[in-house]
Amino acid sequence: MTRYLSLAVTAGLAAVAGLAFQRVFGLGPVVPVAAVAATVPTVLCGLLSGPRKKSPWPLWISLVLTVPAWGATVSLTVLRPALSDGTLPQTLREGVLSSWKAILTTLLPAPAEPELLVLVSVAVWLAAFGSAELALRTSARAVPALPALGAWAVALPLGAGGPGSNLPLAAATAVLVAVLVLVRADGPGAGIAWRPLAAGVPAAAALGALAFAAGPLVPVSATPYDPREQVQAPPPRLRDGVSPLDRVGGWLLAPGQAMFTVQSDRTELERLAVLDRFDGVTWSSTARFVPTGSRVPAGPEPDRSHEVSQRITIRDLPGVWVPAPDRPRRVDGLPVVADPASGALAADRPLRPGQTYRVQAAVPEWTAADLAGAGVASDAEAAAARELPWGPGARKPPVQIAEFRRFAQAATRGATTPLQKAASLAEYLKVFAKYDVTAPPGHSYRQIDYFLGEGRRGTPEHFATAYALLARTIGLPSRVVVGFEGGKREGGTVLVRSGDVMVWPEVKFDRLGWIRFNPLPDSGRPSKGGEGVAAGETEQKLEQAQQSAAAQQNDPGPAKTTQKQQQGPASAEEAPTPWWVFASIAVGAAVIGYLCAVLLAPALRKRRRRTGPPAARITGAWHQALDHLADAGLSTVRTLTASEVARFGASAVGEEAGGHLRPLADLVNHSRFAASRPDPRAADRAWHHTDALGRLVTAKAGRLRRFRRRLHPGSLRDRRPVRPRAR
């Protein structure tokens, strides 16, 4: 009798250890697997021991028989879908060898898939088999509980961070261990000591209840070890090569296409994709998607939020991005991968019409008071959201960045807090450009520059991406989100169409996370014409906070208003600047510009003439020599041959000048008409004669005469002489 009661207790210990996997898969999928895996090996061990046998069969017989017994049991229970597909061997191999890694790279609770539940069956089966054999073959009281504790050692790290609590199961394990010790007090072959057992079981139960009650009160300061930090998640199989941002223009031109339907009593903004990386040409996502059974990790906890439950049915929405409110906490009915940082969802395969899933979200609520004192975030994510890349293959920053920075500074002039800057920039763009669905799509540096500089018409794509770039130039971490706003409501269902697509920017604030801003004109809001539904309450509050913050920038406040009233007479004396002041500034700027031009032009011209191959340098030296002769009053020598120029120059400037002009003329003639090309030394000699001639002309004509000649407008023109003729 003691033998069978011990086996019942060990089976209970193995089953409770299996239920500890409820933090991995949830309680529902684990209960049948743990019950079967704990019962079958225990019964098998009991049958092999026999009711009349003094000792059980040899251990090797139990080991040989338990393996096919487990294979048959797990095939008929856990892996029945795999049997129908004919992939049982592969599923067994993946389940036993790779299921632990798949669980560690999945956001809990993990999906109750057969290849993952195999691990539960293996752990519980081994625990039940080991406990039963130890109970039958040893006389130690508590040793048969060790295999069950081994199953606990597997369940606890895999369930770290999962929903629920294993405290009740831990208390039940303590009670069962105490009962096992009491049952085996006199050894496996002795009878049951009923009196100690009757007194000990209630005491063990009381001890377990005490442990259950005191468990939450135990102070634990250290962070529990999470093995997921040591396992690299595999990349998701995203097969959509088209960014949702690139689809916005086409959706707006065909606004009647049904994207999806939402069944909910409350209208919310549906987010599709979060794009936080810009390479100078396009926006993309840096999301690190992680597989998840249903749960999505929570983001920064706001002071206020409201719960939303939606039932979404896909219609004609292409791609793999899954629409959901901000911020989703649970998704049921559709296998998705989630980005823990942004809460964005994606499917591992393109969406199909008719797919339905449920979303539970906790949408944060913000007010102007929450944002008033918030500073800009300074973490690593915010630093990446301030980057302004040069563009693919660029070797220097594009000139548009400086222009964008000046634009943003002008739009936020007078703003002091980060909130005022972000809100003022959005309100400025609302009135700066007009909404136009026919505007050519694109959001590169060049296209945004055209949108802000010339076109000033655009779709939500242009307004949002322009805002994000402008915000980054003034130090605000920003990103772009593509989603849908509004829709056509019929009863409790909202039909979201392609014309309801929306793109908006977000700015990250310290302790608050990403906050949405709206730079789009009111004429660009979707679902106009009385058919659509208004934006959600949260979006309306953010709009009010944005407008309030922008108004504070221009509102002087009571104290500043009083100060301005006291300074009324002084401000009244201020008069418009007279026109002659601007005219004088313009004339002075023109004179200074002309002087700089006439003084720099000869130097730049001389520098250009000194560069190039030897023949070009000799020709440049000859042109420079003719300019020197023109300063001496010989402006007509440009039509003469080189030898004639040397003769007239010697007579006008002096014989010493002729000593430089004659060899220079020979070098020019040789460079022009000789069969061989001149070498660099010949070019150096030509410039030596030209520089010496310039010094002689300056000494004879004077610096003042040369300066007056340079002031003539003709000095700005590079007057090339007639090609020298051979004599």
Side-chain angles (χ1 to χ4, degrees), residues 502-566:
M502 179 59 60
V503 187
W504 64 89
E506 293 181 345
V507 177
K508 190 172 187 181
F509 290 90
D510 189 24
R511 297 178 294 102
L512 299 178
W514 293 95
I515 305 300
R516 171 180 177 262
F517 289 87
N518 179 29
L520 193 66
D522 293 337
S523 60
R525 302 296 292 271
S527 298
K528 294 292 182 181
E531 294 184 356
V533 294
E537 181 179 351
T538 302
E539 285 68 42
Q540 293 177 357
K541 289 182 179 179
L542 284 176
E543 291 278 345
Q544 295 171 1
Q546 172 180 314
Q547 295 172 1
S548 174
Q552 290 177 4
Q553 174 189 345
N554 300 321
D555 185 9
K560 294 183 179 180
T561 302
T562 304
Q563 183 179 2
K564 284 190 175 184
Q565 290 176 354
Q566 294 175 355

Side-chain angles (χ1 to χ4, degrees), residues 106-107 111 236 289-296 320-323 330-339 344-349 351 357-359:
T106 301
L107 296 175
F289 287 106
V290 181
T292 177
S294 59
R295 187 176 65 92
V296 181
V320 297
W321 300 92
V322 177
R330 186 178 181 86
V331 181
D332 296 303
L334 181 68
V336 297
V337 290
D339 177 28
L345 305 176
D348 60 352
R349 291 180 176 85
L351 299 174
Y357 59 96
R358 292 186 177 275
V359 179

Side-chain angles (χ1 to χ4, degrees), residues 261-282:
T261 60
V262 180
Q263 293 183 8
S264 178
D265 296 334
R266 187 176 186 129
T267 302
E268 297 291 344
L269 204 69
E270 304 293 336
R271 304 194 329 162
L272 191 63
V274 178
L275 311 175
D276 54 357
R277 178 173 57 191
F278 182 65
D279 61 1
V281 177
T282 186

Side-chain angles (χ1 to χ4, degrees), residues 233-260:
R237 294 176 297 173
L238 296 181
R239 302 180 180 179
D240 185 18
V242 180
S243 169
L245 188 60
D246 296 330
R247 300 181 187 268
V248 171
W251 283 343
L252 291 174
L253 293 176
Q257 182 180 359
M259 298 281 99
F260 54 92

